[in-house]
């Protein structure tokens, strides 16, 4: 670690602590993520190794850049990343409502979808997209996707994924219903939830339990049936009792969005993952047709 100087803690995630740091050779500020090895007696955790190998093969404006990896004789692992100013969660908490106007929402969503589309093209699922994992560069309002601890290559073998991924508020209905297989639509659902949250400034679906979360989703999106989602009734937790809620118009919930945005949001929050819009197609949606770019 003599190449870098550790500074104060700036972030604390489930898998490690992020410090501000300095590259002593170039004098560049960096972010240093130290994965806590004390919980892993037998070396560097496999999720960390997976995260590093995935991040190493990715190069995109909207994905946080990995700069260096250092591991010492004690099996402590430090990942050196580019440093950003803050995450989208904090941004929404501390900045006034006007800082998230409809142009900024569109600009942020475009960047998030570009990063996600890039991951999916490379067969990488992020599996934990949420505002605290989206980092902002306030000088130019660049958004970068971070925290690939849960990320996974999805080529082969398909299926048998860990079901308990994605923070509850951003977790898609197929995972909540116990589907043994899932794919890229899980990330699109999470981005849809983040899109709504940017417009509402609070989570659209904020359940406290898995059933509570499904209830919040179905109350707004309607209870799915075999017609709206073929195969849904054979998912493990479908038989749990839910009233036959009718889908609501999302306009009531996100008054801050223009109609094309509400239309895109409803395509991203399509209950049936097979019919949910892809990140790539979302970028082609009419919502993005105007060329207004906000740099202010
Ligand atoms: C900040 C974080 C600034 N910068 C939290 C944060 C608050 C304010 O997590 C962070 C990071 C950064 C960060 O600048 N670069 C990275 C986090 C992560 C990777 S990770 C890289 O993987 O999410 O922990």
């Amino acid at each position: 670690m003599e190449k870098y100087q550790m500074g104060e803690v700036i972030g604390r995630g489930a898998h490690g602590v992020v410090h501000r740091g300095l590259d002593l050779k170039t004098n560049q500020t960096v972010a240093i993520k130290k994965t806590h090895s004390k919980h892993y007696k037998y070396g560097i955790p496999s999720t960390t190794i997976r995260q590093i190998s995935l991040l190493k093969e990715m190069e995109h404006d909207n994905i946080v850049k990995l700069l260096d990896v250092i591991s010492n004789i004690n099996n402590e692992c430090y990942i050196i990343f580019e440093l950003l100013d803050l995450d989208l969660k904090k941004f929404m908490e501390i900045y006034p409502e006007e800082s998230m106007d409809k142009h900024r929402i569109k600009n942020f969503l475009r960047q998030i979808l570009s990063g996600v589309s890039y991951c999916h093209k490379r067969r990488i699922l992020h599996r934990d997209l949420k505002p605290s994992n989206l980092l902002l560069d306030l000088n130019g309002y660049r958004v970068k996707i971070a925290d690939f601890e849960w990320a996974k290559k999805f080529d082969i073998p398909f299926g048998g994924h860990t079901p308990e991924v994605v923070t509850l508020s951003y977790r898609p209905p197929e995972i909540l219903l116990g589907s043994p297989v899932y794919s890229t639509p899980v990330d699109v659902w999470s981005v849809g939830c983040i899109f709504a949250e940017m417009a509402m400034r609070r989570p659209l679906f904020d359940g406290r339990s898995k059933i509570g979360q499904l209830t919040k989703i179905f109350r707004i999106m309607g209870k799915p049936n075999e017609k709206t989602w073929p195969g849904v009734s054979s998912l493990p937790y479908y038989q749990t009792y839910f009233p036959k809620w009718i889908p609501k118009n999302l306009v009531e919930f996100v008054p801050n969005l223009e109609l094309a945005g509400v239309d895109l949001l409803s395509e991203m929050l399509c209950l049936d993952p097979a019919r949910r819009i892809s990140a790539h197609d979302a970028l082609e949606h009419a919502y993005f047709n105007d060329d207004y770019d906000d740099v202010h």
Side-chain angles (χ1 to χ4, degrees):
M1 275 303 287
E2 52 283 350
K3 277 167 76 181
Y4 301 93
Q5 184 179 33
M6 289 267 252
E8 78 275 18
V9 173
I10 51 175
R12 227 179 268 275
H15 303 89
V17 177
V18 183
H19 290 255
R20 184 188 296 279
L22 189 67
D23 180 333
L24 293 170
K25 205 154 87 193
T26 64
N27 236 12
Q28 282 276 347
T29 52
V30 293
I32 304 177
K33 185 178 190 179
K34 183 177 184 298
T35 57
H36 26 202
S37 57
K38 58 176 181 286
H39 303 302
Y40 301 93
K41 289 188 187 144
Y42 308 107
I44 298 166
S46 62
T47 54
T48 302
I49 296 183
R50 189 156 74 195
Q51 170 182 217
I52 293 166
S53 75
L54 291 180
L55 280 162
K56 271 194 168 160
E57 64 174 84
M58 286 194 281
E59 200 183 319
H60 190 272
D61 276 352
N62 303 112
I63 300 195
V64 72
K65 220 187 278 318
L66 182 148
L67 303 172
D68 201 0
V69 180
I70 311 246
S71 69
N72 63 19
I73 199 155
N74 295 323
N75 260 327
E76 289 170 328
C77 183
Y78 298 88
I79 314 175
I80 316 296
F81 287 102
E82 64 177 316
L83 179 71
L84 286 107
D85 298 306
L86 84 174
D87 60 61
L88 181 61
K89 183 167 188 273
K90 288 219 182 65
F91 181 84
M92 290 193 286
E93 281 165 11
I94 65 182
Y95 279 71
E97 211 160 317
E98 309 84 75
S99 53
M100 197 56 100
D101 64 14
K102 56 185 187 174
H103 302 298
R104 174 133 316 139
I105 293 172
K106 187 178 299 193
N107 178 293
F108 280 4
L109 183 70
R110 187 194 280 117
Q111 296 188 59
I112 299 163
L113 285 170
S114 301
V116 171
S117 170
Y118 176 85
C119 291
H120 291 175
K121 212 164 57 204
R122 314 205 58 147
R123 311 186 143 269
I124 293 166
L125 299 184
H126 184 284
R127 303 200 298 176
D128 196 21
L129 292 168
K130 54 184 175 184
S132 58
N133 285 342
L134 299 172
L135 301 175
L136 301 181
D137 169 4
L138 293 179
N139 182 5
Y141 285 96
R142 181 83 67 198
V143 186
K144 304 206 181 207
I145 302 172
D147 202 342
F148 283 74
E149 291 281 349
W150 287 110
K152 194 171 179 134
K153 278 268 198 185
F154 61 88
D155 23 23
I156 28 142
F158 211 83
H161 291 318
T162 338
E164 292 301 299
V165 294
V166 192
T167 303
L168 213 46
S169 292
Y170 310 93
R171 193 178 295 177
E174 62 270 30
I175 293 184
L176 291 163
L177 287 169
S179 173
V181 291
Y182 57 79
S183 188
T184 52
V186 303
D187 286 339
V188 174
W189 178 275
S190 303
V191 176
C193 294
I194 295 164
F195 182 20
E197 189 167 337
M198 289 195 285
M200 299 167 69
R201 299 184 67 90
R202 61 187 159 78
L204 174 60
F205 311 121
D206 58 340
R208 282 149 203 271
S209 63
K210 283 186 263 178
I211 292 293
Q213 186 66 23
L214 271 175
T215 305
K216 298 253 174 173
I217 293 171
F218 293 166
R219 262 179 191 283
I220 296 178
M221 306 312 294
K223 183 188 171 181
N225 53 48
E226 279 297 319
K227 217 168 105 200
T228 60
W229 179 351
V232 71
S233 60
S234 22
L235 293 176
Y237 308 126
Y238 183 76
Q239 296 314 330
T240 321
Y241 176 75
F242 293 108
K244 287 198 176 66
W245 286 297
I246 314 283
K248 295 216 168 76
N249 190 336
L250 285 171
V251 169
E252 301 171 39
F253 301 91
V254 283
N256 220 359
L257 274 188
E258 59 229 82
L259 285 178
V262 177
D263 183 73
L264 173 57
L265 179 62
S266 59
E267 294 208 48
M268 298 179 78
L269 297 180
C270 173
L271 293 172
D272 179 359
R275 297 177 190 176
R276 199 173 298 151
I277 195 168
S278 68
H280 175 270
D281 289 350
L283 286 164
E284 308 276 291
H285 190 277
Y287 175 58
F288 293 114
N289 278 356
D290 56 13
D291 281 316
Y292 189 103
D293 236 337
D294 79 321
V295 188
H296 54 248

